[in-house]
Amino acid sequence: EKLQSYCESISNGYKGSVIVMNPDNGEVYAMNSFPDYSLNSFVGPITKNEWDKLNLSKNNVFNNRSIQNTYPPGSIFKLLLGLIALEHREINKDWTVECNGTYQFFDTKFRCWKEEGHGTVDLNNAIKQSCNIYFYNLMQKFDFDFWYDEVLKFGFNKTTSIDLPNEKKGLIPNRKYMSETYKDKGGWSAGHLLNLSIGQGEMLVTPIQIMNLMNIISNEGFYYSPHLNISKDKIKNSVAYDKSVYKTIKNSMFDAVNKNHGTAYNAKANYDFVKTYGKTGTVQLCSNCEIEPHGWFGGFIELDNGKKFSICILIENGGKGSNIPSIMARNIFNFIIENDV
């Protein structure tokens, strides 16, 4: 309850979602969708005027953004491509790519977020610094439908079965979907896959699905279906990749927070007895336009007493994931530690 209130207090003025969970059993500690509305509005009869104001609000205050709104996942999906590539031995963790800031694909230039490039990057550095060029190259190693089948193993394209109504299942496109979508435009091309590799393009996920991905990585291969009702039966779901694969990705998420040039450095909890892991995501909504991107942070902390807390934050039009979402995550991690949640 304290944690729920705290998350609400730091969400003021933003649009988006904050979820905090226990990866060890699927319990939801806090789930916030904002902007929200005052429950006092519903004490006694509500006037038509008051109802219309809430119901017709352009902020969609009755939408639970944590489970009912869908967004492209941005760079958080790079973790997934890394997991798939390691598990199926398409690469080992020492495979490198030269990033000079652009990736020429036939007649189209795809860019890295860092204009001058990252230089020579291996998987660890590509996750830590969120290098697009690395993952453009990596995506070329996979058949589209194979990638699609693997992504679905992690709970995407279906609901999480959380004990709340009207959960959305999002969208992960496959070959058939892309063929339909682009049939009047000369068909889809491998260029579209490049966007998918970095979580852009025709894909949509809910924050609770990204939360599950964090729990799978934290637990090194399984998650419990999220639930608010503590007495609900725990349903365990496994993604039986090799433990070493998860350990490699976890290590990169640790470095993204704790090492130089890591994009998630703002999320680092203030205490030495806590290990902080994270990945940021920044979702461009259009090119060369004034609309700020959506910002993601997904990650978890491990305390030296064995307790774990996972988190997913999505701020609509909040700018880079390394800023507002990461700073919010750090504040929540510190609150958990200081209040012995």
Side-chain angles (χ1 to χ4, degrees), residues 15-86:
K15 272 188 190 180
S17 158
V18 172
I19 310 169
V20 186
M21 279 182 68
N22 179 352
D24 286 334
N25 62 13
E27 189 181 324
V28 177
Y29 286 135
M31 179 182 279
N32 298 75
S33 174
F34 38 89
D36 55 11
Y37 54 91
S38 167
L39 291 175
N40 294 337
S41 309
F42 292 90
V43 176
I46 184 168
T47 66
K48 181 171 187 319
N49 199 14
E50 180 77 2
W51 169 253
D52 285 347
K53 205 160 87 182
L54 289 171
N55 197 30
L56 304 172
S57 154
K58 66 178 191 304
N59 289 329
N60 293 338
V61 294
F62 291 140
N63 249 22
N64 182 346
R65 286 173 162 80
S66 300
I67 65 167
Q68 292 176 327
N69 278 29
T70 58
Y71 309 89
S75 292
I76 287 184
F77 245 53
K78 292 172 181 172
L79 299 172
L80 209 40
L81 188 54
L83 286 166
I84 294 166
L86 288 171

Side-chain angles (χ1 to χ4, degrees), residues 23-293:
D24 286 334
N25 62 13
E27 189 181 324
V28 177
Y29 286 135
M31 179 182 279
N32 298 75
S33 174
F34 38 89
D36 55 11
Y37 54 91
S38 167
L39 291 175
N40 294 337
S41 309
F42 292 90
V43 176
I46 184 168
T47 66
K48 181 171 187 319
N49 199 14
E50 180 77 2
W51 169 253
D52 285 347
K53 205 160 87 182
L54 289 171
N55 197 30
L56 304 172
S57 154
K58 66 178 191 304
N59 289 329
N60 293 338
V61 294
F62 291 140
N63 249 22
N64 182 346
R65 286 173 162 80
S66 300
I67 65 167
Q68 292 176 327
N69 278 29
T70 58
Y71 309 89
S75 292
I76 287 184
F77 245 53
K78 292 172 181 172
L79 299 172
L80 209 40
L81 188 54
L83 286 166
I84 294 166
L86 288 171
E87 171 67 16
H88 294 284
R89 302 203 167 103
E90 284 296 336
I91 60 164
N92 62 28
K93 62 182 195 292
D94 301 323
W95 184 71
T96 59
V97 162
E98 193 63 37
C99 168
N100 62 8
T102 56
Y103 180 76
Q104 189 74 38
F105 189 73
F106 294 100
D107 55 355
T108 308
K109 268 197 170 95
F110 289 83
R111 299 187 184 280
C112 197
W113 66 266
K114 189 175 182 187
E115 279 175 38
E116 68 275 27
H118 288 102
T120 305
V121 282
D122 59 10
L123 180 61
N124 181 274
N125 276 313
I127 289 173
K128 184 176 88 176
Q129 301 182 52
S130 208
C131 172
N132 293 352
I133 306 300
Y134 185 94
F135 291 96
Y136 291 152
N137 279 278
L138 186 50
M139 191 66 166
Q140 297 300 325
K141 291 178 172 288
F142 289 99
D143 173 75
F144 186 12
D145 282 335
F146 177 82
W147 171 86
Y148 169 84
D149 289 340
E150 291 302 300
V151 168
L152 263 52
K153 290 180 182 175
F154 288 82
F156 294 98
N157 233 15
K158 60 176 185 269
T159 62
T160 66
S161 304
I162 190 170
D163 46 353
L164 288 170
N166 305 322
E167 183 187 1
K168 294 276 197 300
K169 62 178 192 173
L171 167 73
I172 304 297
N174 57 8
R175 192 181 295 270
K176 185 170 169 235
Y177 176 89
M178 294 295 273
S179 300
E180 282 292 303
T181 304
Y182 288 97
K183 68 171 186 256
D184 301 331
K185 300 170 188 159
W188 65 276
S189 74
H192 293 110
L193 298 192
L194 298 186
N195 276 334
L196 297 178
S197 72
I198 61 165
Q200 298 267 169
E202 298 73 7
M203 66 162 74
L204 294 167
V205 302
T206 59
I208 195 73
Q209 289 174 329
I210 292 294
M211 183 82 270
N212 268 349
L213 176 62
M214 295 303 122
N215 291 337
I216 294 167
I217 296 170
S218 168
N219 291 330
E220 297 175 9
F222 64 90
Y223 68 98
Y224 290 96
S225 294
H227 54 274
L228 297 149
N229 178 354
I230 295 170
S231 57
K232 191 170 186 250
D233 285 348
K234 295 180 183 62
I235 301 163
K236 188 175 180 182
N237 309 272
S238 295
V239 187
Y241 279 19
D242 196 280
K243 273 213 183 303
S244 66
V245 168
Y246 288 111
K247 281 183 167 47
T248 299
I249 298 297
K250 263 174 97 164
N251 187 42
S252 299
M253 289 175 72
F254 181 83
D255 288 355
V257 175
N258 295 280
K259 297 283 170 73
N260 282 349
H261 309 301
T263 59
Y265 64 95
N266 272 328
K268 185 171 165 50
N270 294 1
Y271 299 89
D272 289 341
F273 56 87
V274 179
K275 281 182 152 174
T276 313
Y277 302 78
K279 179 75 191 80
T280 57
T282 305
V283 179
Q284 300 297 341
L285 300 168
C286 45
S287 53
N288 303 323
C289 66
E290 296 303 303
I291 301 172
E292 283 287 331

